[in-house]
Amino acid sequence: PRALRHYEQHGLIEAHRSANGYRSYPEATVTRVRNIRHLLVAGLTLDDVRAFLPCLDGDLTSAAPAPEGIRVGLARLAVLDARIAAQTAVRDRLAAALRAAAGPLTERDGRPSAPTTGR
């Protein structure tokens, strides 16, 4: 219910109020919500999903790609790539600092190295 209200607040679905005040959704909302979830799982935001409003009520996975949808997807992909690169850089810096601090106690993969003998 919370997700449905959230999608409604973002203008992605519409509910009608019954006499008792409960929300009532058209049957087509099931397909629309499934498509919204599909796009969110793919990494898009609710704002990104707005570009797909014209095709949210059909078979989104087999529909011909719209230029606006492609533009939104490419922009989101660029954001994700930048985040991945930044996180990889942070990870590499941390791994290097740990290797430097631990010296011969750790190998490159972070596991303890075999003890050295004094012979």
Side-chain angles (χ1 to χ4, degrees):
R2 184 185 299 172
L4 294 177
R5 286 192 294 276
H6 191 63
Y7 300 158
E8 189 178 345
Q9 289 171 349
H10 281 271
L12 299 174
I13 62 174
E14 291 183 17
H16 306 284
R17 294 290 184 156
S18 60
N20 62 5
Y22 290 149
R23 286 178 169 87
S24 174
Y25 298 95
E27 187 65 30
T29 303
V30 174
T31 301
R32 182 172 278 231
V33 168
R34 185 180 318 117
N35 285 331
I36 291 168
R37 298 293 305 150
H38 177 78
L39 293 169
L40 293 174
V41 168
L44 276 66
T45 67
L46 285 177
D47 288 335
D48 296 336
V49 170
R50 255 194 214 86
F52 295 88
L53 276 175
C55 56
L56 286 178
D57 295 329
D59 186 1
L60 186 64
T61 58
S62 66
E68 178 66 6
I70 296 293
R71 186 195 65 72
V72 167
L74 289 172
R76 182 58 47 204
L77 185 61
V79 169
L80 292 172
D81 284 342
R83 287 181 183 168
I84 290 168
Q87 288 296 305
T88 300
V90 168
R91 185 220 172 270
D92 291 347
R93 285 193 303 272
L94 177 58
L98 288 171
R99 281 193 304 274
L105 296 178
T106 58
E107 294 178 349
R108 182 167 176 75
D109 64 4
R111 293 182 306 186
S113 60
T116 57
T117 59
R119 297 184 204 172

